[in-house]
Amino acid sequence: MSNEAVAAHAHHEDYLAHKGFRSWALTLDHKRIGVMYLFTTLFFFLTGGVLALLLRLKLLTPGPALFTDHTYNVLFTMHGVMMIFLFIIPAIPSSLGNFFIPLLIGARDVAFPRLNLLSYYVFLAGIVVTIGSLVSPMDTGWTFYTPYSARTGAAITTLTLGLFLVGMSSVLTGLNFIVTIHTLRAPGMSWYRMPLFIWAMYATSVIQVLSTPVIAITLLLLAAERLFGVGFFDPAKGGDPLLFQHFFWFYSHPVVYVMILPAMGIISEVIPVFARKPIFGYRAIAYSALAIAFIGFLVWGHHMFVSGMSTTAGVIFSFLTFFVAVPTGVKIFNWIATLYRGSIALDSPMLWALAFIFLFIIGGLTGLFLGALAVDVHVHDTYFLVAHFHYTMMGGTVMGLFAGLHYWYPKISGKMLNERLAKIAWCLIVPGFNITFFPMFILGVQGMPRRWAEYPEKYQGLNTLATVGSWILAAGIIIMFVNFWRSLHRGATAPANPWQGNTLEWQISSPPPEENFEVIPTIHEWPYNYGTDRRAHDGEHHRQA
Ligand code: HEM
Ligand SMILES: [Cu+2]
């Protein structure tokens, strides 16, 4: 479009202006599709959370209570399946990624808007089929290990089809993002001028595209085994159960980085804005995302130390696992170096970013314990693992998501959140989280196995503490969602740039216009020049960027 044509189009409305079901259901606007993903994934966060509270309620006391052991198995499986496949894997990429990738690179939409909408409907179809498998609910845990999963009467075949569709949606979205980032960056936005959230989403998309087909095929093989009795994994039929675990973790380990990298991307955006300092070590942060994505493909065997894999393989996987810690440590070091001597504003997005750093350090370091072959043999399948993955997934990814939601809420909704409510929620969630999950490290070292519906008396104290913690955590989450909801109607009108950010999304109105940019901006510098006079230092920026 010529500039005049854009100007003629200039009085366009914001992207929320059109109302009505059809305008949403048939939209090709990446922002609306992002919002639809946001509602869908947050719905499963809350539903999975209710299941978690039920699990914890049952574990309040050691003996039989509330429901049967089989029901407990079904509940933790559903909790895991919902949290992993329907919430945490898609949450940040498909909602905030969809909404913000085009805005941050100065594009009017993603490369393939129709494919984007299709991805959403494939995701929905996958959800419907997955939930449909509840007619005969699965009790295998979210990892569906064979041979049990090949034999159980639960509706595993239905579930595999559902997750196959969810995975397909994820591949389509990943492809769309990769092409978008390659082809639609605004003029002047070289790779080293891209915001770090884009680098993170790029690395994430690569993992999604390369690893998801592996789980898709694994699920198909499992379905074929159940439907036609082919012996891939069941030793009774000549199959190999270890093969299933190799396939499963070849996907599922890289996927933990699909969960965490986007959150790290958000943290890299929030910290420089609220510390008013240029991000420290931009290139190191950017490359470490790619390094994490790459090394992530080499370490799947650390989930299988006690599976009967050879000792040599165990030692090699253990050794390689420690390499992932290096780029992760680089990122954490750089965030802390950015904070150092910054002029720090403790607005809610920053509070969530700090919670992320604190909790993720605990999650990451305990991951090294688990990666050490000898230690893992002791704590394998105990509550130590449960504590570790909740610290990384909830303490890491979910806190990163909360940081992103508080940071970008004004842009998405056009309204400001209530800061007081946001802080009250933070003051409940962060301690509540620690009270819930820290005792589990101790329980694990003491030897309490995971997935037990009942436990010996000696574990009661810490279990009761954890359950009480889950109530505090839940109270905080309810307050946070009340804030999200209330601010939609009652929040103050958001200015274009409430946090004085330099990235492109803040240079347009809140909520953004339908076409994002009236004129596609030309980029002259990287977006992290905080605390300096932008124009006076222009020459320097060019060298930095
Ligand atoms: C309110 C917060 C939460 C509480 C109280 C909670 C509690 C629990 C409990 C009691 C279990 C069963 C542990 C076992 O016996 O192995 C569990 C398992 C699990 N949780 Fe959570 N959880 C919460 C949030 C999350 C989140 C946010 C995620 C990921 C995004 C998550 C992912 C998982 C997974 C993957 C399992 C393993 C399920 C399985 O063993 O098949 N949880 N959780
Ligand atoms: Cu792993």
Side-chain angles (χ1 to χ4, degrees):
M1 256 194 283
S2 71
N3 277 354
E4 297 82 86
V6 175
H9 198 65
H11 323 278
H12 46 206
E13 307 149 303
D14 72 60
Y15 84 102
L16 294 170
H18 288 275
K19 309 252 186 265
F21 179 76
R22 277 173 61 93
S23 77
W24 281 88
L26 300 177
T27 184
L28 298 181
D29 182 348
H30 67 100
K31 298 184 289 304
R32 286 185 167 218
I33 295 173
V35 169
M36 297 196 301
Y37 271 116
L38 188 62
F39 275 92
T40 313
T41 49
L42 288 181
F43 173 80
F44 286 102
F45 174 62
L46 295 178
T47 313
V50 171
L51 299 185
L53 290 173
L54 286 174
L55 291 167
R56 282 275 22 127
L57 197 59
K58 160 105 190 163
L59 297 171
L60 181 67
T61 52
L66 277 180
F67 37 75
T68 64
D69 294 358
H70 175 72
T71 307
Y72 184 86
N73 292 348
V74 169
L75 287 180
F76 79 64
T77 302
M78 280 317 287
H79 166 69
V81 167
M82 282 182 184
M83 285 296 193
I84 298 286
F85 295 108
L86 307 185
F87 165 60
I88 206 156
I89 295 177
I92 301 181
S94 58
S95 63
L96 296 179
N98 240 317
F99 200 104
F100 287 102
I101 289 174
L103 294 182
L104 286 169
I105 64 174
R108 292 219 160 84
D109 207 317
V110 292
F112 308 116
R114 280 168 206 281
L115 185 67
N116 203 13
L117 185 64
L118 177 70
S119 306
Y120 179 73
Y121 283 113
V122 173
F123 182 55
L124 271 193
I127 289 172
V128 170
V129 177
T130 302
I131 301 299
S133 70
L134 279 176
V135 287
S136 170
M138 51 278 183
D139 49 1
T140 57
W142 73 280
T143 51
F144 340 105
Y145 275 6
T146 54
Y148 182 67
S149 61
R151 295 175 187 161
T152 169
I156 297 290
T157 312
T158 317
L159 179 70
T160 54
L161 178 65
L163 295 182
F164 186 88
L165 291 170
V166 171
M168 192 155 114
S169 151
S170 168
V171 173
L172 296 178
T173 303
L175 279 173
N176 212 341
F177 288 171
I178 290 175
V179 178
T180 305
I181 295 169
H182 271 278
T183 61
L184 295 184
R185 280 171 288 132
M189 184 174 285
S190 60
W191 284 81
Y192 295 127
R193 287 180 188 160
M194 292 194 319
L196 288 162
F197 181 69
I198 303 295
W199 276 99
M201 287 308 309
Y202 186 77
T204 306
S205 305
V206 170
I207 305 177
Q208 271 176 311
V209 169
L210 294 182
S211 71
T212 314
V214 179
I215 193 73
I217 290 171
T218 313
L219 293 172
L220 282 186
L221 292 179
L222 180 58
E225 174 146 353
R226 292 176 58 90
L227 290 172
F228 312 118
V230 198
F232 294 116
F233 306 124
D234 188 343
K237 299 190 184 114
D240 180 0
L242 255 194
L243 181 66
F244 180 86
Q245 292 194 24
H246 278 294
F247 282 172
F248 183 83
W249 288 112
F250 185 80
Y251 162 77
S252 293
H253 184 81
V255 151
V256 305
Y257 302 110
V258 171
M259 305 172 194
I260 198 69
L261 279 169
M264 291 171 151
I266 292 173
I267 301 306
S268 302
E269 297 304 326
V270 168
I271 292 217
V273 174
F274 293 88
R276 306 314 299 171
K277 269 183 66 192
I279 188 111
F280 184 88
Y282 171 92
R283 287 194 187 199
I285 295 183
Y287 281 123
S288 62
L290 299 181
I292 288 174
F294 176 72
I295 305 170
F297 277 100
L298 306 178
V299 302
W300 75 91
H302 62 212
H303 298 272
M304 301 167 59
F305 287 146
V306 299
S307 67
M309 189 173 63
S310 80
T311 315
T312 319
V315 171
I316 292 171
F317 279 124
S318 179
F319 181 72
L320 289 175
T321 297
F322 280 73
F323 281 89
V324 189
V326 177
T328 310
V330 164
K331 281 183 191 284
I332 293 177
F333 171 80
N334 284 327
W335 293 325
I336 293 176
T338 308
L339 289 170
Y340 178 67
R341 295 191 145 189
S343 138
I344 292 177
L346 290 179
D347 296 304
S348 53
M350 183 64 150
L351 287 177
W352 290 113
L354 295 177
F356 171 98
I357 295 181
F358 174 67
L359 300 175
F360 185 71
I361 286 178
I362 299 178
L365 289 180
T366 54
L368 288 179
F369 292 25
L370 291 166
L373 180 54
V375 180
D376 185 65
V377 170
H378 178 63
V379 292
H380 177 78
D381 267 350
T382 67
Y383 261 83
F384 191 91
L385 176 89
V386 180
H388 156 73
F389 72 64
H390 283 94
Y391 266 85
T392 51
M393 293 193 285
M394 187 159 192
T397 309
V398 176
M399 297 300 142
L401 172 68
F402 290 170
L405 289 177
H406 285 75
Y407 180 55
W408 280 320
Y409 187 94
K411 187 53 64 183
I412 299 174
S413 68
K415 296 290 168 65
M416 297 304 287
L417 282 172
N418 179 318
E419 271 293 304
R420 230 169 69 90
L421 274 184
K423 285 177 180 157
I424 294 174
W426 191 92
C427 288
L428 288 167
I429 291 174
V430 176
F433 174 87
N434 285 294
I435 298 170
T436 308
F437 293 107
F438 200 85
M440 297 185 192
F441 283 122
I442 306 170
L443 283 170
V445 173
Q446 289 177 347
M448 178 165 158
R450 68 189 291 205
R451 298 185 176 172
W452 275 17
E454 288 160 29
Y455 52 84
E457 296 265 336
K458 63 171 176 172
Y459 298 129
Q460 178 161 16
L462 289 171
N463 268 297
T464 306
L465 184 64
T467 300
V468 172
S470 74
W471 299 336
I472 301 174
L473 178 55
I477 289 183
I478 291 169
I479 293 176
M480 169 187 282
F481 277 84
V482 166
N483 194 13
F484 289 158
W485 190 252
R486 219 184 78 116
S487 300
L488 279 185
H489 309 292
R490 287 204 241 158
T493 305
N497 190 357
W499 318 116
Q500 276 83 52
N502 285 350
T503 34
L504 290 175
E505 81 277 33
W506 302 118
Q507 321 310 324
I508 53 177
S509 50
S510 309
E514 220 170 311
E515 303 263 276
N516 298 352
F517 300 94
E518 287 175 18
V519 180
I520 296 291
T522 303
I523 312 300
H524 298 289
E525 57 180 14
W526 74 336
Y528 299 108
N529 290 318
Y530 296 105
T532 50
D533 180 330
R534 303 180 72 186
R535 231 147 309 170
H537 290 76
D538 218 8
E540 199 179 305
H541 301 151
H542 281 290
R543 251 177 292 119
Q544 269 181 320

